[in-house]
């Protein structure tokens, strides 16, 4: 287990380094990179050169890269190009905001989707099952932002029941009931999106498992149906779901750019869009890296959970790479 | 000091979110320009000519008495960078700066440089007989929010710092004519210029920083200094104090109880709240979460206008759009410049339906323009510039006179060259896409083939506009300084890549007129030079000037109140907060 863990962490570090190099190169190769955006038309050439020098943008790329990487290892994400605001000051608060929004939607959708999907697997093509399919199709087909706008139009502008956007009413920062009110609409939108995938997944995974020989065996030896479903069926059906959860983990951090934008939620998704618009590449690089870290953690997490729920996956030399 | 609209960057990248809301892509995202607070002098054309009667009527609130202590919430769509006036370069920072930083001089509705009760100066600058020395006197009662007086040192330090290349101030080119700044006494400064340069006057309509706070900061460190970034460490001299910066969400300013001015602000708290885009912002206005937005997307303008509680100010801003021709042979096949003949250019101007663009694409929110002078400017002379009315037959005739003959495919030819060119513009700008399509159709009607080409904004500026490599393009200038001087974009002194005359346009007469225009501080002489320039440029047509435009401002009329004299003025930079010190809010 330990050896496997170390191996995975080392692999992850390597992947992260590659991602860092790649994102750095891509961003520096992009037309209108940090240099051009900084050097606005009002600046004379002379002043522009001094500016570029002050920012270190006239140094060779590898030098710039290692200096950036060095600062990164010290936890310094750098400064914005436009006005030397520390990137961390901008990025870190948004992660928390995004996790509140995405976390709520995620947990809620799991709490609904998995039991519902499992139940539906036992009553295939019943009204409940049909409803679930219908909801899933809507969830898949309806663009989240569109659904968001409809909800805003009805619940906020027309009936004035819920806040239109933002995380808190101004001046009520940190007030929990206020936060919950603001969560209702965006969470509904996101939950519908998650729900569609998870409920379908849970149902089909369960149906597939319930068809297996060992379930038939369990039934044949006279176990109560309840025990067959929960003890033998569910445990196996959860394996692919767990994988899915691990892979979805980074979304909790990265946020949903569109939903966050529509509801003006001050999260990382909205930040990414805004920073892309103003070409603040240092912030974009920071966000890319943070998300990459979570992707890797998510994968690692999925692998470990996988091993825990599936005793066939052994965390030894052989099974480790499963 | 004409800048390519920064917000066009916004637009081009907004394609990202454009899929989000079709309306997102609207031209009006552009109103987020970086017009600086620098402004003009005499105006002899009533600003009201720009306004529809409806706009005039709607901006007049009920004549009730001002009340103190209200609050105002304003929407914006990006966070600020700084409120340090030396480094303010973006609209959001500038918006906040308007409330907390007093200007040395202010600008009135008719573009005169004026001393308002809230200006730092006590009288208009005295210009020496040789036109080189400007003497500025400050009000002795003017104070910083820490109680220290505003002095000559503050003025000298501010302009000297902007002048210093190590500071990296975006406004460096506005002060490059300064030779020397001298402190005469505690409240008097003398600025000596290297040459007579009339537009310098507007540089003085700007804010200053406290010398006593920043004097020991090395100039290279200034940009990173907490001054301008940390509300607690930012000492200001305006009617409001910056009290809170909730990163990515909002900024708050509060009326300074110790404010020095004889006129005090009525509104106690102003909050500038950040929205993801113009549509969410406008939704919030409709909902009542915010009271004022400086730009409403045209796609939802009708919806907003239909709301009883909202007033829309439809007056175009200080920006204009144009089709630019290139005059450098290298950009054309066989080095044959298709646009080399003046008559050809006039034919193109005649063939394009500009009024149709204003009516249908801008939905009436713009006005036609024939020369690079806005109708509100004192330099504007309605009779000077030639207006090319839309006339397909006349255009065909001009082209025929000029030797263009239809080829086999109906496209005109001359000397074996087919009249077909590429018209570039930035991808994702819905307005320009529509304009390009109209131009393509209009010119097809007279036998000219236009190939519209949309390019990502930054790449376009980098690879085509700045180096002057294109055949023709669609672009806009935002006049951050409404001085009529156009040398930096039209004079042959400013060819690419260093200069901004990216079409390689050369007209000796015009080159001289620009110099003549800024080489005297006598406004009548200047006006005459610019009338002549308008005539010359509208005849010679380096650009086909299209229209002046800008997104309409909207506010909650039941909450935001002001007298007619203090209503917003769209043609000024930050004019949507014009005289905000005299506004009040109810509810």
């Amino acid at each position: 287990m330990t050896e496997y863990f170390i191996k995975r962490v080392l692999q992850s570090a390597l992947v992260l380094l590659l991602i860092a190099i790649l994102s750095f190169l891509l961003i520096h190769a992009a037309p209108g990179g940090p240099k051009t955006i900084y050097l606005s038309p009002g600046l004379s050439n002379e002043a522009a050169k001094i500016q570029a020098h002050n920012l270190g943008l006239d140094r060779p790329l590898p030098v710039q890269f290692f200096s950036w990487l060095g600062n990164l290892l010290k936890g310094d994400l750098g400064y914005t190009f436009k006005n030397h605001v520390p990137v961390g000051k901008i990025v870190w608060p948004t992660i928390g905001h995004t996790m509140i929004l995405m976390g709520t939607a995620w947990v809620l959708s799991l709490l609904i989707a998995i039991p519902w999907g499992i139940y539906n697997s036992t009553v295939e093509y019943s009204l409940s099952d049909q409803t679930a399919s219908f909801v899933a199709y809507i969830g898949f087909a309806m663009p989240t932002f569109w659904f968001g706008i409809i909800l805003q139009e009805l619940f906020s502008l027309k009936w004035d029941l819920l806040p239109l956007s933002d995380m808190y009413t101004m001046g009520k920062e940190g007030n929990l009931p206020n936060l919950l009110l603001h969560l209702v609409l965006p969470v509904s939108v996101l939950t519908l999106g998650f729900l569609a995938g998870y409920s379908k997944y849970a149902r089909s995974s369960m149906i597939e498992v319930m068809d297996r020989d060992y379930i038939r065996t369990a039934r044949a030896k006279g176990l109560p149906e309840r025990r067959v479903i929960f003890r033998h069926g569910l445990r196996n059906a959860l394996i692919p779901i767990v994988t899915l959860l691990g892979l979805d983990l980074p979304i909790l951090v990265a946020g949903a750019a569109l939903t966050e934008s529509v509801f003006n939620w001050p999260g990382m998704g909205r930040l990414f869009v805004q920073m892309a618009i103003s070409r603040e590449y240092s912030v974009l690089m920071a966000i890319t890296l943070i998300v990459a870290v979570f992707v890797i953690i998510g994968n690692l997490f999925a692998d470990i959970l996988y091993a825990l729920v599936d005793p066939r996956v052994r965390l030894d030399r052989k099974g480790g790479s499963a | 000091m004409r800048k390519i609209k920064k917000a066009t960057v916004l637009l081009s990248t907004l394609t990202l979110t454009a899929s989000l809301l079709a309306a997102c892509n609207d031209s009006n995202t552009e109103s987020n320009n970086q017009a600086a607070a620098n402004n003009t002098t005499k105006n002899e054309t009533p600003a009201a000519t720009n306004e529809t009667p409806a706009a005039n009527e709607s901006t007049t609130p009920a004549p009730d008495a001002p009340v103190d202590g209200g609050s105002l919430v304003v929407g914006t769509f990006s966070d600020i960078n700084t409120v340090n006036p030396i480094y303010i370069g973006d609209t959001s920072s500038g918006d906040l700066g308007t409330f907390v930083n007093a200007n040395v001089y202010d600008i009135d509705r008719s573009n005169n440089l004026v001393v308002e009760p809230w200006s730092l100066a006590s009288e208009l600058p005295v210009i020496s007989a040789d036109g080189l020395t400007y003497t500025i006197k400050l009000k002795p009662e003017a104070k910083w929010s820490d109680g220290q007086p505003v002095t000559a040192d503050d003025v000298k330090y501010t302009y000297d710092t902007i002048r210093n290349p190590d500071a990296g101030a975006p406004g460096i080119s506005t002060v490059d004519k300064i030779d020397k700044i001298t402190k005469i006494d505690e409240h008097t400064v003398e600025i000596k210029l290297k040459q007579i340069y009339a537009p310098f006057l507007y540089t003085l309509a700007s804010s200053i920083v406290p010398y006593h706070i920043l004097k020991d900061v090395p100039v290279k460190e200034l940009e990173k200094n907490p001054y301008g970034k940390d509300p607690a460490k930012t000492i200001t001299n305006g009617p409001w104090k910056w009290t809170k910066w909730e990163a990515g969400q909002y900024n708050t300013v509060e009326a300074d109880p110790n404010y020095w001015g004889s006129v005090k602000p009525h509104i106690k708290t102003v909050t500038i709240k950040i929205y993801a885009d113009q549509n969410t912002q406008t939704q919030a206005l409709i909902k009542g979460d915010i009271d004022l937005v400086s730009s409403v997307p045209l796609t939802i303008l009708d919806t907003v206008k239909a709301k009883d509680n909202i007033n829309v100010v439809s007056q175009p801003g200080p920006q204009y759009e144009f089709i630019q021709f290139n005059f450098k042979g290298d950009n054309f096949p066989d080095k044959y410049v298709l646009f080399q003949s003046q008559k050809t250019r006039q034919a193109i101007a005649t063939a394009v339906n500009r009024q149709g663009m204003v009516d249908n694409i801008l939905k009436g929110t713009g006005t036609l323009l024939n020369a690079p002078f806005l109708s509100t400017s004192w330099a504007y002379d309605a009779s000077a510039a030639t207006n090319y009315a839309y006339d397909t037959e006349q255009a065909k005739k001009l082209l025929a006179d000029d030797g263009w003959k239809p080829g086999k495919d109906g496209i005109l030819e001359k000397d074996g060259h087919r009249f077909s060119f590429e018209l570039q513009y930035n991808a994702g700008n819905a307005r320009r896409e529509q304009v390009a399509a109209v131009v393509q159709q209009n010119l097809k009607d007279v036998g000219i083939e236009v190939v519209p080409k949309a390019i990502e904004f930054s790449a376009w500026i980098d690879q085509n506009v700045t180096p002057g490599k294109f055949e023709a393009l669609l672009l806009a200038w935002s006049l951050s300084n409404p001085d009529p001087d156009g040398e930096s974009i039209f004079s042959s002194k400013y060819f690419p890549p260093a200069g901004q005359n990216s079409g390689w346009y050369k007209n000796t007469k015009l080159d001289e007129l620009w110099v003549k225009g800024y080489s005297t501080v006598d406004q009548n002489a200047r006006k005459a030079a610019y009338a002549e320039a308008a005539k010359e440029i509208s005849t010679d047509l380096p650009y086909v000037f299209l229209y002046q435009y800008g997104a309409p401002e909207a506010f909650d009329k039941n909450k935001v109140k002001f007298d007619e004299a203090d209503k917003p003025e769209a043609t000024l930079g930050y004019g949507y907060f014009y005289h905000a010190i005299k506004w009040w809010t109810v509810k």
Side-chain angles (χ1 to χ4, degrees):
Chain A
M1 175 84 187
T2 321
E3 195 188 327
Y4 166 76
F5 191 74
I6 292 171
K7 206 163 110 190
R8 284 304 313 263
V9 167
L10 285 179
Q11 270 176 359
S12 304
L14 189 68
V15 170
L16 266 182
L17 183 70
L18 287 174
I19 291 172
I21 294 174
L22 209 64
S23 68
F24 182 87
L25 286 179
L26 276 178
I27 278 164
H28 280 258
K35 240 190 260 184
T36 25
I37 194 63
Y38 196 82
L39 311 178
S40 63
L43 280 178
S44 70
N45 267 3
E46 187 60 20
K49 273 184 206 144
I50 294 167
Q51 262 310 329
H53 180 75
N54 287 352
L55 284 171
L57 294 176
D58 56 349
R59 295 174 301 169
L61 269 192
V63 177
Q64 288 190 46
F65 175 72
F66 284 109
S67 139
W68 173 70
L69 195 67
N71 287 334
L72 197 66
L73 292 176
K74 283 183 271 170
D76 178 2
L77 292 170
Y79 289 85
T80 60
F81 287 111
K82 281 201 190 124
N83 263 295
H84 293 274
V85 180
V87 171
K89 187 185 152 144
I90 298 176
V91 173
W92 296 125
T94 63
I95 296 183
H97 299 159
T98 290
M99 284 172 97
I100 290 174
L101 176 66
M102 302 302 285
T104 311
W106 199 51
V107 169
L108 197 65
S109 60
L110 286 181
L111 288 180
I112 299 172
I114 292 182
W116 198 14
I118 289 165
Y119 171 72
N120 286 342
S121 71
T122 62
V123 288
E124 274 182 80
Y125 306 112
S126 66
L127 179 66
S128 162
D129 195 26
Q130 302 273 18
T131 312
S133 291
F134 181 69
V135 169
Y137 287 132
I138 290 181
F140 279 130
M142 179 138 52
T144 50
F145 68 87
W146 178 242
F147 185 43
I149 290 171
I150 291 175
L151 291 185
Q152 282 180 324
E153 199 60 50
L154 294 178
F155 289 91
S156 182
L157 293 173
K158 198 165 178 195
W159 298 324
D160 200 15
L161 294 172
L162 291 163
L164 180 75
S165 52
D166 308 324
M167 193 164 160
Y168 294 102
T169 306
M170 247 180 328
K172 289 196 175 169
E173 286 79 14
N175 177 315
L176 189 63
N178 193 268
L179 173 65
L180 292 177
L181 272 182
H182 281 86
L183 274 170
V184 177
L185 293 185
V187 163
S188 308
V189 169
L190 291 166
T191 304
L192 183 75
F194 284 136
L195 203 59
Y198 290 145
S199 66
K200 277 283 173 201
Y201 222 90
R203 175 182 178 274
S204 62
S205 173
M206 196 66 183
I207 287 173
E208 197 186 315
V209 166
M210 294 306 280
D211 236 20
R212 292 278 167 85
D213 289 344
Y214 55 81
I215 297 291
R216 216 173 299 144
T217 312
R219 284 193 175 127
K221 69 182 178 184
L223 284 179
E225 186 62 15
R226 210 185 153 76
R227 198 172 157 87
V228 173
I229 292 173
F230 285 97
R231 187 68 189 256
H232 296 263
L234 186 58
R235 187 155 178 190
N236 288 298
L238 276 179
I239 294 168
I241 296 174
V242 161
T243 313
L244 195 67
L245 296 187
L247 296 177
D248 276 352
L249 189 70
I251 298 177
L252 295 189
V253 183
L258 295 180
T259 310
E260 287 189 3
S261 293
V262 167
F263 290 97
N264 205 36
W265 194 266
M268 204 144 89
R270 195 193 74 161
L271 181 74
F272 194 84
V273 173
Q274 286 191 323
M275 292 295 117
I277 288 168
S278 52
R279 312 240 155 187
E280 280 294 359
Y281 290 121
S282 47
V283 181
L284 297 185
M285 286 198 284
I287 294 178
T288 310
L289 270 186
I290 291 169
V291 174
V293 168
F294 277 86
V295 169
I296 285 166
I297 292 176
N299 276 299
L300 198 60
F301 184 71
D303 279 354
I304 291 168
L305 269 186
Y306 203 81
L308 291 182
V309 288
D310 186 355
R312 288 170 301 177
V313 179
R314 295 226 184 272
L315 298 178
D316 57 22
R317 260 158 258 172
K318 293 270 160 62
S321 52
Chain B
M1 279 141 287
R2 285 148 197 258
K3 295 179 179 173
I4 289 168
K5 307 195 70 196
K6 189 65 139 274
T8 34
V9 178
L10 234 179
L11 266 183
S12 56
T13 30
L14 257 182
T15 34
L16 235 175
T17 35
S19 50
L20 179 148
L21 305 165
C24 226
N25 234 353
D26 185 78
S27 56
N28 287 303
T29 319
E30 291 213 351
S31 68
N32 188 14
N33 65 60
Q34 39 177 330
N38 297 345
N39 268 315
T40 301
T41 43
K42 292 244 164 56
N43 166 21
E44 280 149 42
T45 322
T49 51
N50 263 347
E51 294 171 21
T52 62
N56 266 334
E57 193 179 68
S58 64
T59 50
T60 313
D64 34 10
V67 283
D68 286 349
S71 68
L72 175 70
V73 186
V74 177
T76 184
F77 35 79
S78 58
D79 205 348
I80 64 155
N81 285 311
T82 179
V83 295
N84 179 343
I86 293 178
Y87 294 107
I88 288 178
D90 59 286
T91 312
S92 292
S93 303
D95 286 351
L96 190 61
T98 306
F99 292 96
V100 300
N101 298 321
N103 287 326
V104 179
Y105 293 99
D106 282 278
I107 309 285
D108 75 1
R109 195 180 298 284
S110 3
N111 295 0
N112 299 300
L113 191 77
V114 288
V115 173
E116 298 276 16
W118 46 89
S119 311
L120 295 169
S122 60
E123 55 182 66
L124 284 172
V126 177
I127 306 174
S128 63
D130 62 4
L132 287 177
T133 310
Y134 292 64
T135 306
I136 301 162
K137 273 198 187 330
L138 297 170
K139 287 186 183 122
E141 70 269 25
K143 290 203 170 43
W144 294 99
S145 50
D146 61 357
Q148 295 293 310
V150 173
T151 67
D153 288 320
D154 299 326
V155 177
K156 180 175 157 56
Y157 172 80
T158 302
Y159 294 125
D160 276 340
T161 306
I162 296 175
R163 245 145 54 86
N164 185 342
D166 285 350
I172 187 164
S173 62
T174 64
V175 292
D176 60 1
K177 301 290 191 296
I178 297 179
D179 178 34
K180 194 162 185 277
I181 306 176
T182 317
K183 173 183 175 183
I184 303 295
D185 62 39
E186 221 29 43
H187 297 289
T188 314
V189 193
E190 204 178 82
I191 299 180
K192 193 165 185 298
L193 301 187
K194 296 172 192 160
Q195 62 179 85
I196 303 181
Y197 187 66
F200 178 73
L201 196 61
Y202 317 110
T203 301
L204 300 175
S206 57
S207 306
I208 55 172
V209 296
Y211 173 67
H212 68 280
I213 303 285
L214 299 173
K215 60 184 174 188
D216 297 325
V217 180
V219 73
K220 280 193 177 183
E221 301 290 315
L222 197 59
E223 200 170 3
K224 290 181 186 166
N225 193 276
Y227 177 80
K229 298 200 177 78
D230 179 351
K233 290 179 180 155
T234 305
I235 307 299
T236 54
N237 55 15
W240 287 272
K241 274 202 303 192
W242 185 27
T243 49
K244 195 170 187 193
W245 182 4
E246 193 74 39
Q249 298 182 67
Y250 63 89
N251 275 283
T252 303
V253 300
E254 304 232 0
D256 182 351
N258 302 315
Y259 175 57
W260 53 270
S262 54
V263 173
K264 314 278 185 200
H266 296 301
I267 299 173
K268 184 165 178 272
T269 315
V270 180
T271 305
I272 301 183
K273 206 163 166 316
I274 300 156
Y275 282 87
D277 56 64
Q278 283 189 320
N279 289 285
T280 45
Q281 176 186 288
T282 309
Q283 290 276 64
L285 175 72
I286 293 170
K287 166 82 176 159
D289 287 353
I290 56 177
D291 311 317
L292 185 151
V293 299
S294 56
S295 56
V296 176
L298 290 184
T299 41
I300 51 173
L301 184 60
D302 292 338
T303 317
V304 175
K305 275 185 171 165
K307 303 282 170 189
D308 293 338
N309 62 324
I310 295 174
N311 263 359
V312 174
V313 185
S314 306
Q315 187 191 15
Q319 55 250 6
Y320 68 86
E321 198 141 55
F322 52 84
I323 300 168
Q324 182 174 10
F325 300 117
N326 204 313
F327 294 90
K328 188 169 178 152
D330 293 353
N331 294 306
F332 296 87
D334 306 328
K335 305 210 173 190
Y336 183 84
V337 180
L338 291 166
F339 313 112
Q340 58 191 316
S341 156
Q342 192 184 73
K343 211 169 236 178
T344 298
R345 301 195 294 274
Q346 289 174 346
I348 293 175
T350 311
V352 172
N353 186 358
R354 300 180 302 148
Q355 189 61 50
M357 293 174 188
V358 169
D359 295 341
N360 302 318
I361 300 173
L362 300 182
K363 295 192 180 178
T365 59
T367 50
L368 283 188
L369 179 108
N370 297 316
F373 308 106
L374 305 187
S375 59
T376 44
S377 164
W378 54 264
Y380 179 75
D381 181 342
S383 61
T386 310
N387 179 42
Y388 295 89
Y390 174 48
D391 186 342
T392 307
E393 292 313 310
Q394 172 67 12
K396 279 183 184 164
K397 190 173 167 297
L398 282 168
L399 287 164
D401 287 355
D402 205 34
W404 292 98
K405 294 189 177 59
K408 279 182 207 141
D409 55 356
I411 300 301
L412 296 173
E413 281 175 9
K414 182 164 136 184
D415 309 332
H417 302 282
R418 202 166 165 269
F419 208 155
S420 168
F421 67 90
E422 181 182 273
L423 180 67
Q424 299 182 349
Y425 59 96
N426 55 310
N429 184 324
R431 186 188 60 248
R432 283 189 193 137
E433 276 162 17
Q434 294 176 49
V435 170
V438 171
V439 171
Q440 185 183 27
Q441 183 58 50
N442 286 163
L443 294 189
K444 191 181 166 204
D445 294 343
V446 298
I448 300 172
E449 183 182 69
V450 177
V451 184
K453 188 173 184 191
I455 310 173
E456 190 276 327
F457 185 78
S458 292
W460 182 48
I461 296 299
D462 258 14
Q463 290 154 19
N464 300 96
V465 181
T466 307
K469 290 180 181 167
F470 56 89
E471 294 181 333
L473 55 75
L474 261 183
L475 191 63
W477 290 113
S478 176
L479 309 184
S480 58
N481 178 341
D483 189 272
D485 180 32
E487 188 183 45
S488 66
I489 51 176
F490 295 113
S491 169
S492 57
K493 280 188 215 167
Y494 293 95
F495 280 160
Q500 292 179 304
N501 179 0
S502 53
W504 308 86
Y505 173 63
K506 185 173 167 72
N507 177 329
T508 322
K509 185 177 173 195
L510 207 51
D511 283 1
E512 284 163 11
L513 282 172
W514 298 123
V515 177
K516 193 173 161 193
Y518 63 66
S519 301
T520 173
V521 290
D522 172 5
Q523 190 137 300
N524 286 327
R526 297 196 72 197
K527 188 172 155 62
Y530 294 122
E532 217 179 320
K535 185 165 181 278
E536 180 60 27
I537 205 166
S538 64
T539 306
D540 205 36
L541 297 175
Y543 295 176
V544 174
F545 296 96
L546 298 174
Y547 44 76
Q548 184 187 345
Y549 68 102
E553 168 179 0
F555 60 90
D556 181 343
K557 68 176 173 194
N558 297 328
K559 182 164 181 196
V560 183
K561 306 280 182 181
F562 39 76
D563 291 333
E564 178 64 19
D566 304 315
K567 69 176 184 183
E569 178 56 46
T571 59
L572 293 178
Y574 303 107
Y576 36 83
F577 299 135
Y578 189 73
H579 283 194
I581 191 171
K582 290 183 153 184
W583 296 5
W584 68 96
T585 55
V586 292
K587 263 186 206 176

